[in-house]
Amino acid sequence: MTSAPPELRKTLRSLAVLAGLFLVIWLAPNNHMFEGISRYQSVHLPVETVSLVISMLVFGVAWNAYSKDRASNLIILACASLAVGLIDFAHMLSFAGMPDWVTPADPEKAINFWLAARLLFALALLSVALRPWRAFTHPRSRYNLLAAAIAISALVYWLGLFHQDALPRTFIAGQGLTAFKIVSEYVIVALLLTACVLYWRQARAGKPREALGLFNVAAITILSELSFTLYSDVTDIFNLLGHIYKIIAYALLYRTVFVGSVREPFLRALEAEQAQRHAIRALRTLSAGNKTLLHAREEHALLESMCRAAVVQGGYLLAWVGYVQDDETQTIKPEVWHAVQPGYVESLLSTEHKIALNNGPSGVAMRSGETTICQDIANDPLFAPWRDVAMKYGYRASISIPLKDNGATFATLALYASTPDAFTADEIALLSEMGEDLSFGLRSLRIRGERDQALLDKQHYLERLQDGLQGTVQAIASTVEMRDPYTAGHQRRVADLAAAIAGEMGLSHEQIFAIHLAGVVHDLGKISIPAEILSKPSRLNEIEYSFIKTHPQAGYDILKDIDFQWPVAEMVLQHHERLDGTGYPRGLKGEEIIQGARILAVADVIEAMASHRPYRPGLGIEAALQEISKHRGVSYDAEVADAALRLFSENKYQL
């Protein structure tokens, strides 16, 4: 258990002195300080006047310093002080030896007003101790409270002045205080003692700031009330001592209210400034982290950059990321860290500390899935296993943020600060948002990595498939060319030229590959034509030519059921079609002919005219290019024709 704060120890010492004075007087022989009531009045009247003035000051300061954003507990005390002051005024005027006021002055009349004031004061202290320190929910509440205080004062006046006979006896001349009076004082003492205990607990916790002063007020008021249970005559020393304690308590109450009211705006401004600094620190960390996320390409590098940003830009002393291990206890193991002073995380990598981490703030964050804050490492039991090491490195507060993937925590991010209570609500919210951003970034990197690997695997598969497909198609083409040795190599050369034309036109790699594939098998249908027609050394007659014109359809029929992923069969079917409709087998025109077939048509004509045939020698490349140029835009696609002509005119291609 930690010792009491210095301010609380100082208060206890002062109370011990006052309690010692009470004990000395209690043990000393009873005596009268003043001979006769008239001489005592010379002391009683100023003492009560001081008490009355302080009561009014308490009310005035607290009432005028009111703010709708402040806790309203002091307003309760202020209104109670007003009522107590008004009743004390009646007590002062009713004291024995004073001139008659409405009714004759006598000790019992004064005691009645006294008990009412003391009871009201004790109830006010207790209610403030029990009430949460927060503002009124309704703006008119303080006016209602003021009206209630005045109404209670008026009720006490009415009873004390006009119905004293209906009240229990409190003092009998020659006998002293009655049992009712003494019991009433002890009831008041019990109320004050309860309030005193509550303020003690609040003062030890450090909240609210006024708790220490109110504890002092309640404790000294107890001494005052105990003094008023012991006097046998209004002029003896215990009566005077009780009034002195009362003035001290009132003065401390005024100091508490005054200091609290005056300091409140400055403290709130200071707290706002501190909160702003914390928010700026978190925002710098969040901003630097988001920049890191934008440029991250690898998980480990992302975490390293994030930890470095938290320390360098954010101003935290340490940032580390621990991964949840796949074991029975779900151990948390630090993987990445950055610190102003290295060494702490390295010590956590030992087996002992690694297990402790699983039971510490990071372990709580991992199991709960919620951000876990340790505002005071020196006293937080979660830090017990490694508190001494953390304190040595200057760590006083920490926050552990869960990093999630599909709702499951797979890692935690821990940040350490140099002061207790270092993490404000706004800062915690911003850092939690950063944890969500980091989790999203890590998920994105993992998804991107899986996607890239899948694409790479797919690319390798497609390359193998294309190689196999191309090899198969080439084998089929070779079979055709074995039946027609005069056109051996024709399909390959057409395929190469068609691919070159497509490249010159700027088509994609896949389009070029498909056109080349179709070129390799564009004459596959000739496998159905008799060999003697294919190799006939003279010009074909009409019937033989009609056989030749069936080869695009025959090739299409062979290829149409093969899934090439591209319109290879359609290109084979249309490679003898012409833009003006003079081609075959369907007489298609213009845009009815697909682009790949238009490219194959130009490449086929150029290669066929430039090469030798059984029925004629080769006409040469110039004649072939003249044919393409002459019928550009008529029989042949203009864009395709221009690309083919550029290839040869600029020496980009040779047959």
Side-chain angles (χ1 to χ4, degrees), residues 320-322 324 330 332 348 356-370 372 382-383 386 398-402 409 411-416:
W320 63 268
V321 174
V324 180
Q330 289 190 297
I332 298 175
L348 299 182
L357 281 176
N358 191 41
N359 297 318
S362 293
V364 173
M366 178 265 294
R367 289 188 293 274
S368 66
E370 302 292 337
T372 302
L382 285 176
F383 254 92
W386 58 94
S398 75
I399 182 171
S400 297
I401 306 164
T409 301
T412 59
L413 169 64
L415 303 174
Y416 290 68

PDB file of all heavy atoms in Angstrom, residues 320-322 324 330 332 348 356-370 372 382-383 386 398-402 409 411-416:
ATOM      1  N   TRP A 320       6.341  -0.990 -29.157  1.00  0.00           N
ATOM      2  CA  TRP A 320       6.685  -2.341 -29.612  1.00  0.00           C
ATOM      3  C   TRP A 320       5.430  -3.087 -30.023  1.00  0.00           C
ATOM      4  O   TRP A 320       4.327  -2.813 -29.537  1.00  0.00           O
ATOM      5  CB  TRP A 320       7.469  -3.119 -28.559  1.00  0.00           C
ATOM      6  CG  TRP A 320       6.775  -3.405 -27.257  1.00  0.00           C
ATOM      7  CD1 TRP A 320       6.812  -2.651 -26.133  1.00  0.00           C
ATOM      8  CD2 TRP A 320       5.972  -4.556 -26.934  1.00  0.00           C
ATOM      9  NE1 TRP A 320       6.091  -3.229 -25.128  1.00  0.00           N
ATOM     10  CE2 TRP A 320       5.569  -4.406 -25.592  1.00  0.00           C
ATOM     11  CE3 TRP A 320       5.562  -5.684 -27.634  1.00  0.00           C
ATOM     12  CZ2 TRP A 320       4.755  -5.347 -24.940  1.00  0.00           C
ATOM     13  CZ3 TRP A 320       4.766  -6.627 -26.998  1.00  0.00           C
ATOM     14  CH2 TRP A 320       4.377  -6.450 -25.665  1.00  0.00           C
ATOM     15  N   VAL A 321       5.608  -4.005 -30.951  1.00  0.00           N
ATOM     16  CA  VAL A 321       4.519  -4.855 -31.438  1.00  0.00           C
ATOM     17  C   VAL A 321       4.841  -6.299 -31.077  1.00  0.00           C
ATOM     18  O   VAL A 321       5.928  -6.794 -31.389  1.00  0.00           O
ATOM     19  CB  VAL A 321       4.335  -4.720 -32.959  1.00  0.00           C
ATOM     20  CG1 VAL A 321       3.285  -5.720 -33.459  1.00  0.00           C
ATOM     21  CG2 VAL A 321       3.933  -3.295 -33.316  1.00  0.00           C
ATOM     22  N   GLY A 322       3.906  -6.944 -30.405  1.00  0.00           N
ATOM     23  CA  GLY A 322       4.063  -8.347 -30.044  1.00  0.00           C
ATOM     24  C   GLY A 322       3.041  -9.205 -30.772  1.00  0.00           C
ATOM     25  O   GLY A 322       1.862  -8.842 -30.849  1.00  0.00           O
ATOM     26  N   VAL A 324       0.847 -12.689 -31.219  1.00  0.00           N
ATOM     27  CA  VAL A 324       0.280 -13.781 -30.435  1.00  0.00           C
ATOM     28  C   VAL A 324       0.777 -15.094 -31.028  1.00  0.00           C
ATOM     29  O   VAL A 324       0.566 -15.368 -32.214  1.00  0.00           O
ATOM     30  CB  VAL A 324      -1.259 -13.722 -30.449  1.00  0.00           C
ATOM     31  CG1 VAL A 324      -1.831 -14.874 -29.623  1.00  0.00           C
ATOM     32  CG2 VAL A 324      -1.752 -12.383 -29.905  1.00  0.00           C
ATOM     33  N   GLN A 330      -1.195 -18.906 -25.679  1.00  0.00           N
ATOM     34  CA  GLN A 330      -1.239 -17.731 -26.551  1.00  0.00           C
ATOM     35  C   GLN A 330      -0.242 -16.676 -26.081  1.00  0.00           C
ATOM     36  O   GLN A 330      -0.570 -15.528 -25.811  1.00  0.00           O
ATOM     37  CB  GLN A 330      -2.652 -17.148 -26.605  1.00  0.00           C
ATOM     38  CG  GLN A 330      -3.640 -18.020 -27.365  1.00  0.00           C
ATOM     39  CD  GLN A 330      -4.953 -17.303 -27.594  1.00  0.00           C
ATOM     40  OE1 GLN A 330      -5.645 -16.959 -26.656  1.00  0.00           O
ATOM     41  NE2 GLN A 330      -5.300 -17.084 -28.848  1.00  0.00           N
ATOM     42  N   ILE A 332       2.548 -13.876 -25.943  1.00  0.00           N
ATOM     43  CA  ILE A 332       2.816 -12.689 -26.752  1.00  0.00           C
ATOM     44  C   ILE A 332       4.323 -12.483 -26.820  1.00  0.00           C
ATOM     45  O   ILE A 332       4.980 -12.347 -25.791  1.00  0.00           O
ATOM     46  CB  ILE A 332       2.133 -11.448 -26.155  1.00  0.00           C
ATOM     47  CG1 ILE A 332       0.614 -11.639 -26.154  1.00  0.00           C
ATOM     48  CG2 ILE A 332       2.504 -10.198 -26.942  1.00  0.00           C
ATOM     49  CD1 ILE A 332      -0.129 -10.527 -25.475  1.00  0.00           C
ATOM     50  N   LEU A 348      12.426  -8.350 -22.116  1.00  0.00           N
ATOM     51  CA  LEU A 348      11.143  -9.060 -22.157  1.00  0.00           C
ATOM     52  C   LEU A 348      11.231 -10.356 -22.960  1.00  0.00           C
ATOM     53  O   LEU A 348      10.341 -11.207 -22.859  1.00  0.00           O
ATOM     54  CB  LEU A 348      10.066  -8.174 -22.778  1.00  0.00           C
ATOM     55  CG  LEU A 348       9.745  -6.860 -22.059  1.00  0.00           C
ATOM     56  CD1 LEU A 348       8.623  -6.137 -22.786  1.00  0.00           C
ATOM     57  CD2 LEU A 348       9.363  -7.100 -20.618  1.00  0.00           C
ATOM     58  N   ALA A 356       4.959 -13.391 -18.597  1.00  0.00           N
ATOM     59  CA  ALA A 356       4.343 -12.279 -17.885  1.00  0.00           C
ATOM     60  C   ALA A 356       3.577 -11.373 -18.844  1.00  0.00           C
ATOM     61  O   ALA A 356       2.523 -10.853 -18.501  1.00  0.00           O
ATOM     62  CB  ALA A 356       5.403 -11.492 -17.124  1.00  0.00           C
ATOM     63  N   LEU A 357       4.113 -11.164 -20.027  1.00  0.00           N
ATOM     64  CA  LEU A 357       3.432 -10.325 -21.002  1.00  0.00           C
ATOM     65  C   LEU A 357       2.040 -10.856 -21.306  1.00  0.00           C
ATOM     66  O   LEU A 357       1.105 -10.091 -21.517  1.00  0.00           O
ATOM     67  CB  LEU A 357       4.248 -10.257 -22.299  1.00  0.00           C
ATOM     68  CG  LEU A 357       5.444  -9.307 -22.311  1.00  0.00           C
ATOM     69  CD1 LEU A 357       6.187  -9.442 -23.615  1.00  0.00           C
ATOM     70  CD2 LEU A 357       4.990  -7.886 -22.101  1.00  0.00           C
ATOM     71  N   ASN A 358       1.917 -12.144 -21.327  1.00  0.00           N
ATOM     72  CA  ASN A 358       0.627 -12.753 -21.606  1.00  0.00           C
ATOM     73  C   ASN A 358      -0.393 -12.437 -20.522  1.00  0.00           C
ATOM     74  O   ASN A 358      -1.598 -12.484 -20.755  1.00  0.00           O
ATOM     75  CB  ASN A 358       0.794 -14.272 -21.737  1.00  0.00           C
ATOM     76  CG  ASN A 358      -0.445 -14.936 -22.289  1.00  0.00           C
ATOM     77  OD1 ASN A 358      -1.068 -14.421 -23.206  1.00  0.00           O
ATOM     78  ND2 ASN A 358      -0.811 -16.065 -21.729  1.00  0.00           N
ATOM     79  N   ASN A 359       0.083 -12.117 -19.314  1.00  0.00           N
ATOM     80  CA  ASN A 359      -0.812 -11.809 -18.206  1.00  0.00           C
ATOM     81  C   ASN A 359      -0.875 -10.307 -17.913  1.00  0.00           C
ATOM     82  O   ASN A 359      -1.551  -9.896 -16.980  1.00  0.00           O
ATOM     83  CB  ASN A 359      -0.351 -12.544 -16.939  1.00  0.00           C
ATOM     84  CG  ASN A 359      -0.407 -14.043 -17.110  1.00  0.00           C
ATOM     85  OD1 ASN A 359      -1.359 -14.556 -17.670  1.00  0.00           O
ATOM     86  ND2 ASN A 359       0.619 -14.745 -16.656  1.00  0.00           N
ATOM     87  N   GLY A 360      -0.143  -9.511 -18.688  1.00  0.00           N
ATOM     88  CA  GLY A 360      -0.094  -8.078 -18.453  1.00  0.00           C
ATOM     89  C   GLY A 360      -1.089  -7.332 -19.318  1.00  0.00           C
ATOM     90  O   GLY A 360      -2.034  -7.901 -19.868  1.00  0.00           O
ATOM     91  N   PRO A 361      -0.901  -6.009 -19.454  1.00  0.00           N
ATOM     92  CA  PRO A 361      -1.825  -5.195 -20.252  1.00  0.00           C
ATOM     93  C   PRO A 361      -1.982  -5.685 -21.682  1.00  0.00           C
ATOM     94  O   PRO A 361      -3.087  -5.678 -22.220  1.00  0.00           O
ATOM     95  CB  PRO A 361      -1.170  -3.804 -20.209  1.00  0.00           C
ATOM     96  CG  PRO A 361      -0.370  -3.790 -18.954  1.00  0.00           C
ATOM     97  CD  PRO A 361       0.143  -5.192 -18.791  1.00  0.00           C
ATOM     98  N   SER A 362      -0.888  -6.131 -22.302  1.00  0.00           N
ATOM     99  CA  SER A 362      -0.991  -6.632 -23.679  1.00  0.00           C
ATOM    100  C   SER A 362      -1.824  -7.899 -23.731  1.00  0.00           C
ATOM    101  O   SER A 362      -2.595  -8.114 -24.675  1.00  0.00           O
ATOM    102  CB  SER A 362       0.406  -6.884 -24.257  1.00  0.00           C
ATOM    103  OG  SER A 362       1.114  -5.666 -24.412  1.00  0.00           O
ATOM    104  N   GLY A 363      -1.668  -8.747 -22.707  1.00  0.00           N
ATOM    105  CA  GLY A 363      -2.477  -9.961 -22.649  1.00  0.00           C
ATOM    106  C   GLY A 363      -3.951  -9.645 -22.465  1.00  0.00           C
ATOM    107  O   GLY A 363      -4.819 -10.277 -23.074  1.00  0.00           O
ATOM    108  N   VAL A 364      -4.261  -8.655 -21.622  1.00  0.00           N
ATOM    109  CA  VAL A 364      -5.649  -8.237 -21.429  1.00  0.00           C
ATOM    110  C   VAL A 364      -6.218  -7.693 -22.737  1.00  0.00           C
ATOM    111  O   VAL A 364      -7.351  -8.003 -23.115  1.00  0.00           O
ATOM    112  CB  VAL A 364      -5.740  -7.177 -20.307  1.00  0.00           C
ATOM    113  CG1 VAL A 364      -7.154  -6.621 -20.217  1.00  0.00           C
ATOM    114  CG2 VAL A 364      -5.318  -7.768 -18.974  1.00  0.00           C
ATOM    115  N   ALA A 365      -5.433  -6.866 -23.435  1.00  0.00           N
ATOM    116  CA  ALA A 365      -5.873  -6.322 -24.722  1.00  0.00           C
ATOM    117  C   ALA A 365      -6.104  -7.436 -25.733  1.00  0.00           C
ATOM    118  O   ALA A 365      -7.062  -7.395 -26.517  1.00  0.00           O
ATOM    119  CB  ALA A 365      -4.841  -5.332 -25.252  1.00  0.00           C
ATOM    120  N   MET A 366      -5.222  -8.436 -25.717  1.00  0.00           N
ATOM    121  CA  MET A 366      -5.351  -9.556 -26.652  1.00  0.00           C
ATOM    122  C   MET A 366      -6.624 -10.351 -26.374  1.00  0.00           C
ATOM    123  O   MET A 366      -7.377 -10.684 -27.287  1.00  0.00           O
ATOM    124  CB  MET A 366      -4.118 -10.449 -26.557  1.00  0.00           C
ATOM    125  CG  MET A 366      -4.137 -11.680 -27.453  1.00  0.00           C
ATOM    126  SD  MET A 366      -4.746 -13.167 -26.584  1.00  0.00           S
ATOM    127  CE  MET A 366      -3.430 -13.407 -25.387  1.00  0.00           C
ATOM    128  N   ARG A 367      -6.885 -10.643 -25.085  1.00  0.00           N
ATOM    129  CA  ARG A 367      -8.046 -11.477 -24.753  1.00  0.00           C
ATOM    130  C   ARG A 367      -9.367 -10.724 -24.878  1.00  0.00           C
ATOM    131  O   ARG A 367     -10.373 -11.288 -25.297  1.00  0.00           O
ATOM    132  CB  ARG A 367      -7.893 -12.036 -23.336  1.00  0.00           C
ATOM    133  CG  ARG A 367      -6.812 -13.109 -23.221  1.00  0.00           C
ATOM    134  CD  ARG A 367      -6.836 -13.753 -21.849  1.00  0.00           C
ATOM    135  NE  ARG A 367      -6.446 -12.812 -20.802  1.00  0.00           N
ATOM    136  CZ  ARG A 367      -5.182 -12.583 -20.442  1.00  0.00           C
ATOM    137  NH1 ARG A 367      -4.203 -13.223 -21.061  1.00  0.00           N
ATOM    138  NH2 ARG A 367      -4.903 -11.729 -19.485  1.00  0.00           N
ATOM    139  N   SER A 368      -9.369  -9.440 -24.502  1.00  0.00           N
ATOM    140  CA  SER A 368     -10.616  -8.670 -24.521  1.00  0.00           C
ATOM    141  C   SER A 368     -10.901  -8.051 -25.881  1.00  0.00           C
ATOM    142  O   SER A 368     -12.047  -7.730 -26.196  1.00  0.00           O
ATOM    143  CB  SER A 368     -10.568  -7.563 -23.466  1.00  0.00           C
ATOM    144  OG  SER A 368      -9.585  -6.600 -23.793  1.00  0.00           O
ATOM    145  N   GLY A 369      -9.827  -7.864 -26.669  1.00  0.00           N
ATOM    146  CA  GLY A 369     -10.007  -7.178 -27.941  1.00  0.00           C
ATOM    147  C   GLY A 369     -10.217  -5.686 -27.778  1.00  0.00           C
ATOM    148  O   GLY A 369     -10.611  -5.005 -28.719  1.00  0.00           O
ATOM    149  N   GLU A 370      -9.954  -5.139 -26.566  1.00  0.00           N
ATOM    150  CA  GLU A 370     -10.133  -3.725 -26.290  1.00  0.00           C
ATOM    151  C   GLU A 370      -8.804  -3.093 -25.875  1.00  0.00           C
ATOM    152  O   GLU A 370      -7.934  -3.766 -25.320  1.00  0.00           O
ATOM    153  CB  GLU A 370     -11.157  -3.523 -25.157  1.00  0.00           C
ATOM    154  CG  GLU A 370     -12.528  -4.113 -25.437  1.00  0.00           C
ATOM    155  CD  GLU A 370     -13.261  -3.378 -26.546  1.00  0.00           C
ATOM    156  OE1 GLU A 370     -12.924  -2.194 -26.786  1.00  0.00           O
ATOM    157  OE2 GLU A 370     -14.155  -3.976 -27.170  1.00  0.00           O
ATOM    158  N   THR A 372      -6.185  -1.385 -23.697  1.00  0.00           N
ATOM    159  CA  THR A 372      -5.947  -1.470 -22.255  1.00  0.00           C
ATOM    160  C   THR A 372      -4.947  -0.388 -21.852  1.00  0.00           C
ATOM    161  O   THR A 372      -3.861  -0.312 -22.413  1.00  0.00           O
ATOM    162  CB  THR A 372      -5.404  -2.862 -21.876  1.00  0.00           C
ATOM    163  OG1 THR A 372      -6.343  -3.855 -22.300  1.00  0.00           O
ATOM    164  CG2 THR A 372      -5.204  -2.970 -20.378  1.00  0.00           C
ATOM    165  N   LEU A 382      -1.052  -5.100 -12.828  1.00  0.00           N
ATOM    166  CA  LEU A 382      -0.751  -5.787 -14.083  1.00  0.00           C
ATOM    167  C   LEU A 382       0.734  -5.704 -14.433  1.00  0.00           C
ATOM    168  O   LEU A 382       1.254  -6.535 -15.171  1.00  0.00           O
ATOM    169  CB  LEU A 382      -1.579  -5.182 -15.226  1.00  0.00           C
ATOM    170  CG  LEU A 382      -3.070  -5.537 -15.265  1.00  0.00           C
ATOM    171  CD1 LEU A 382      -3.757  -4.787 -16.382  1.00  0.00           C
ATOM    172  CD2 LEU A 382      -3.274  -7.031 -15.417  1.00  0.00           C
ATOM    173  N   PHE A 383       1.424  -4.684 -13.893  1.00  0.00           N
ATOM    174  CA  PHE A 383       2.835  -4.485 -14.203  1.00  0.00           C
ATOM    175  C   PHE A 383       3.758  -5.073 -13.136  1.00  0.00           C
ATOM    176  O   PHE A 383       4.978  -4.892 -13.216  1.00  0.00           O
ATOM    177  CB  PHE A 383       3.134  -2.990 -14.367  1.00  0.00           C
ATOM    178  CG  PHE A 383       3.331  -2.577 -15.797  1.00  0.00           C
ATOM    179  CD1 PHE A 383       2.265  -2.123 -16.548  1.00  0.00           C
ATOM    180  CD2 PHE A 383       4.568  -2.668 -16.403  1.00  0.00           C
ATOM    181  CE1 PHE A 383       2.422  -1.745 -17.870  1.00  0.00           C
ATOM    182  CE2 PHE A 383       4.749  -2.298 -17.720  1.00  0.00           C
ATOM    183  CZ  PHE A 383       3.675  -1.834 -18.454  1.00  0.00           C
ATOM    184  N   TRP A 386       7.251  -7.011 -13.937  1.00  0.00           N
ATOM    185  CA  TRP A 386       8.410  -6.326 -14.530  1.00  0.00           C
ATOM    186  C   TRP A 386       8.388  -4.822 -14.241  1.00  0.00           C
ATOM    187  O   TRP A 386       8.962  -4.019 -14.961  1.00  0.00           O
ATOM    188  CB  TRP A 386       8.485  -6.577 -16.037  1.00  0.00           C
ATOM    189  CG  TRP A 386       7.276  -6.149 -16.807  1.00  0.00           C
ATOM    190  CD1 TRP A 386       7.072  -4.973 -17.438  1.00  0.00           C
ATOM    191  CD2 TRP A 386       6.094  -6.922 -17.024  1.00  0.00           C
ATOM    192  NE1 TRP A 386       5.843  -4.941 -18.016  1.00  0.00           N
ATOM    193  CE2 TRP A 386       5.210  -6.128 -17.782  1.00  0.00           C
ATOM    194  CE3 TRP A 386       5.681  -8.199 -16.650  1.00  0.00           C
ATOM    195  CZ2 TRP A 386       3.950  -6.578 -18.176  1.00  0.00           C
ATOM    196  CZ3 TRP A 386       4.437  -8.642 -17.038  1.00  0.00           C
ATOM    197  CH2 TRP A 386       3.593  -7.841 -17.791  1.00  0.00           C
ATOM    198  N   SER A 398       1.378   3.262 -19.786  1.00  0.00           N
ATOM    199  CA  SER A 398       1.421   2.525 -21.053  1.00  0.00           C
ATOM    200  C   SER A 398       0.011   2.319 -21.587  1.00  0.00           C
ATOM    201  O   SER A 398      -0.973   2.408 -20.851  1.00  0.00           O
ATOM    202  CB  SER A 398       2.101   1.156 -20.871  1.00  0.00           C
ATOM    203  OG  SER A 398       1.227   0.258 -20.204  1.00  0.00           O
ATOM    204  N   ILE A 399      -0.051   2.056 -22.879  1.00  0.00           N
ATOM    205  CA  ILE A 399      -1.313   1.717 -23.527  1.00  0.00           C
ATOM    206  C   ILE A 399      -1.058   0.548 -24.468  1.00  0.00           C
ATOM    207  O   ILE A 399      -0.047   0.529 -25.181  1.00  0.00           O
ATOM    208  CB  ILE A 399      -1.900   2.932 -24.285  1.00  0.00           C
ATOM    209  CG1 ILE A 399      -3.253   2.580 -24.913  1.00  0.00           C
ATOM    210  CG2 ILE A 399      -0.930   3.454 -25.334  1.00  0.00           C
ATOM    211  CD1 ILE A 399      -3.976   3.792 -25.481  1.00  0.00           C
ATOM    212  N   SER A 400      -1.925  -0.436 -24.424  1.00  0.00           N
ATOM    213  CA  SER A 400      -1.804  -1.622 -25.281  1.00  0.00           C
ATOM    214  C   SER A 400      -3.011  -1.673 -26.205  1.00  0.00           C
ATOM    215  O   SER A 400      -4.157  -1.683 -25.735  1.00  0.00           O
ATOM    216  CB  SER A 400      -1.717  -2.893 -24.432  1.00  0.00           C
ATOM    217  OG  SER A 400      -0.552  -2.870 -23.634  1.00  0.00           O
ATOM    218  N   ILE A 401      -2.749  -1.704 -27.501  1.00  0.00           N
ATOM    219  CA  ILE A 401      -3.802  -1.626 -28.516  1.00  0.00           C
ATOM    220  C   ILE A 401      -3.849  -2.937 -29.283  1.00  0.00           C
ATOM    221  O   ILE A 401      -2.824  -3.370 -29.829  1.00  0.00           O
ATOM    222  CB  ILE A 401      -3.525  -0.462 -29.481  1.00  0.00           C
ATOM    223  CG1 ILE A 401      -3.334   0.842 -28.690  1.00  0.00           C
ATOM    224  CG2 ILE A 401      -4.639  -0.323 -30.502  1.00  0.00           C
ATOM    225  CD1 ILE A 401      -2.698   1.946 -29.501  1.00  0.00           C
ATOM    226  N   PRO A 402      -5.008  -3.603 -29.343  1.00  0.00           N
ATOM    227  CA  PRO A 402      -5.094  -4.862 -30.091  1.00  0.00           C
ATOM    228  C   PRO A 402      -5.094  -4.622 -31.594  1.00  0.00           C
ATOM    229  O   PRO A 402      -5.695  -3.654 -32.082  1.00  0.00           O
ATOM    230  CB  PRO A 402      -6.442  -5.442 -29.627  1.00  0.00           C
ATOM    231  CG  PRO A 402      -7.252  -4.242 -29.242  1.00  0.00           C
ATOM    232  CD  PRO A 402      -6.273  -3.233 -28.700  1.00  0.00           C
ATOM    233  N   THR A 409      -7.702 -11.032 -32.481  1.00  0.00           N
ATOM    234  CA  THR A 409      -6.470 -10.293 -32.198  1.00  0.00           C
ATOM    235  C   THR A 409      -5.263 -11.174 -32.513  1.00  0.00           C
ATOM    236  O   THR A 409      -5.118 -12.256 -31.942  1.00  0.00           O
ATOM    237  CB  THR A 409      -6.427  -9.866 -30.720  1.00  0.00           C
ATOM    238  OG1 THR A 409      -7.565  -9.043 -30.441  1.00  0.00           O
ATOM    239  CG2 THR A 409      -5.159  -9.081 -30.424  1.00  0.00           C
ATOM    240  N   ALA A 411      -2.061  -9.559 -32.797  1.00  0.00           N
ATOM    241  CA  ALA A 411      -0.881  -8.857 -32.281  1.00  0.00           C
ATOM    242  C   ALA A 411      -1.351  -7.692 -31.426  1.00  0.00           C
ATOM    243  O   ALA A 411      -2.535  -7.324 -31.427  1.00  0.00           O
ATOM    244  CB  ALA A 411       0.003  -8.363 -33.427  1.00  0.00           C
ATOM    245  N   THR A 412      -0.419  -7.105 -30.657  1.00  0.00           N
ATOM    246  CA  THR A 412      -0.721  -5.913 -29.870  1.00  0.00           C
ATOM    247  C   THR A 412       0.375  -4.875 -30.085  1.00  0.00           C
ATOM    248  O   THR A 412       1.543  -5.219 -30.253  1.00  0.00           O
ATOM    249  CB  THR A 412      -0.822  -6.226 -28.369  1.00  0.00           C
ATOM    250  OG1 THR A 412       0.421  -6.781 -27.912  1.00  0.00           O
ATOM    251  CG2 THR A 412      -1.954  -7.204 -28.088  1.00  0.00           C
ATOM    252  N   LEU A 413      -0.044  -3.612 -30.084  1.00  0.00           N
ATOM    253  CA  LEU A 413       0.880  -2.479 -30.159  1.00  0.00           C
ATOM    254  C   LEU A 413       0.898  -1.809 -28.797  1.00  0.00           C
ATOM    255  O   LEU A 413      -0.150  -1.408 -28.292  1.00  0.00           O
ATOM    256  CB  LEU A 413       0.438  -1.492 -31.234  1.00  0.00           C
ATOM    257  CG  LEU A 413       1.140  -0.129 -31.253  1.00  0.00           C
ATOM    258  CD1 LEU A 413       2.618  -0.287 -31.574  1.00  0.00           C
ATOM    259  CD2 LEU A 413       0.460   0.817 -32.241  1.00  0.00           C
ATOM    260  N   ALA A 414       2.068  -1.682 -28.187  1.00  0.00           N
ATOM    261  CA  ALA A 414       2.208  -1.067 -26.868  1.00  0.00           C
ATOM    262  C   ALA A 414       3.032   0.211 -26.971  1.00  0.00           C
ATOM    263  O   ALA A 414       4.079   0.226 -27.619  1.00  0.00           O
ATOM    264  CB  ALA A 414       2.857  -2.043 -25.884  1.00  0.00           C
ATOM    265  N   LEU A 415       2.529   1.282 -26.336  1.00  0.00           N
ATOM    266  CA  LEU A 415       3.231   2.560 -26.287  1.00  0.00           C
ATOM    267  C   LEU A 415       3.468   2.937 -24.830  1.00  0.00           C
ATOM    268  O   LEU A 415       2.590   2.721 -23.985  1.00  0.00           O
ATOM    269  CB  LEU A 415       2.413   3.657 -26.974  1.00  0.00           C
ATOM    270  CG  LEU A 415       2.016   3.415 -28.433  1.00  0.00           C
ATOM    271  CD1 LEU A 415       1.088   4.516 -28.924  1.00  0.00           C
ATOM    272  CD2 LEU A 415       3.246   3.328 -29.320  1.00  0.00           C
ATOM    273  N   TYR A 416       4.630   3.517 -24.535  1.00  0.00           N
ATOM    274  CA  TYR A 416       4.991   3.869 -23.164  1.00  0.00           C
ATOM    275  C   TYR A 416       5.273   5.365 -23.073  1.00  0.00           C
ATOM    276  O   TYR A 416       5.909   5.947 -23.965  1.00  0.00           O
ATOM    277  CB  TYR A 416       6.231   3.089 -22.722  1.00  0.00           C
ATOM    278  CG  TYR A 416       5.979   1.609 -22.516  1.00  0.00           C
ATOM    279  CD1 TYR A 416       5.691   0.777 -23.595  1.00  0.00           C
ATOM    280  CD2 TYR A 416       6.029   1.047 -21.253  1.00  0.00           C
ATOM    281  CE1 TYR A 416       5.453  -0.573 -23.422  1.00  0.00           C
ATOM    282  CE2 TYR A 416       5.802  -0.309 -21.065  1.00  0.00           C
ATOM    283  CZ  TYR A 416       5.512  -1.112 -22.147  1.00  0.00           C
ATOM    284  OH  TYR A 416       5.282  -2.442 -21.952  1.00  0.00           O
TER     285      TYR A 416
END
